[in-house]
Amino acid sequence: MNFYSIRHLTRYRYSQPISQSIMETRMHPRSDSNQHCLTFSLSVSPRCRVFSYRDHQGNNVQHFDIPGEHTQLVIVAESVIEQQPSPTSRISSLPMPGAPSTTWLKPATTGRCCSQQVCR
């Protein structure tokens, strides 16, 4: 059994004040036979009231409206997940025969990605 603490930060910065934000998020992890969401919280700045519902696909959706002027919007989603090992997780992580492979590139010494250097 594994536990994961997840923190997701979204920040919008606007060059001019905007008059209203209407948002919908799907950041609440799902619970199923392999994982269970133990805690979830969503904080929004500027402060507002957050509403929740479950959509037609079973996702937990949070939505909110900020009617006043603002130049920045910050959304922080935090959750703790308990994951059960799945008997098929080892098999499903193996590459499919004939599937394209991914090539990862090493960062160059300047800190930029260099397409000439391939990780091995």
Side-chain angles (χ1 to χ4, degrees):
M1 183 172 352
N2 296 315
F3 292 88
Y4 296 94
S5 177
I6 303 165
R7 184 174 193 268
H8 183 269
L9 169 69
T10 302
R11 178 177 289 133
Y12 297 96
R13 291 186 183 127
Y14 308 106
S15 58
Q16 299 290 322
I18 61 170
S19 60
Q20 183 177 25
S21 287
I22 301 172
M23 291 280 172
E24 208 173 73
T25 69
R26 287 172 172 79
M27 296 183 190
H28 189 294
R30 295 180 82 158
S31 292
D32 58 25
S33 60
N34 295 326
Q35 73 178 23
H36 181 68
C37 182
L38 301 174
T39 64
F40 175 76
S41 67
L42 186 80
S43 60
V44 179
S45 177
R47 290 180 51 164
C48 64
R49 187 168 176 195
V50 177
F51 300 91
S52 299
Y53 71 93
R54 190 166 296 211
D55 71 10
H56 68 282
Q57 294 179 335
N59 298 304
N60 294 304
V61 180
Q62 287 70 43
H63 62 99
F64 56 89
D65 176 27
I66 302 171
E69 278 195 356
H70 52 285
T71 58
Q72 178 172 276
L73 172 61
V74 179
I75 305 166
V76 179
E78 296 178 288
S79 54
V80 175
I81 304 298
E82 174 187 18
Q83 186 180 42
Q84 300 290 334
S86 170
T88 60
S89 63
R90 194 174 76 83
I91 296 170
S92 63
S93 66
L94 297 175
M96 296 286 292
S101 61
T102 302
T103 302
W104 297 97
L105 302 175
K106 289 182 185 178
T109 55
T110 61
R112 296 188 184 114
C113 184
C114 177
S115 61
Q116 304 298 317
Q117 298 174 322
V118 178
C119 294
R120 297 189 192 277

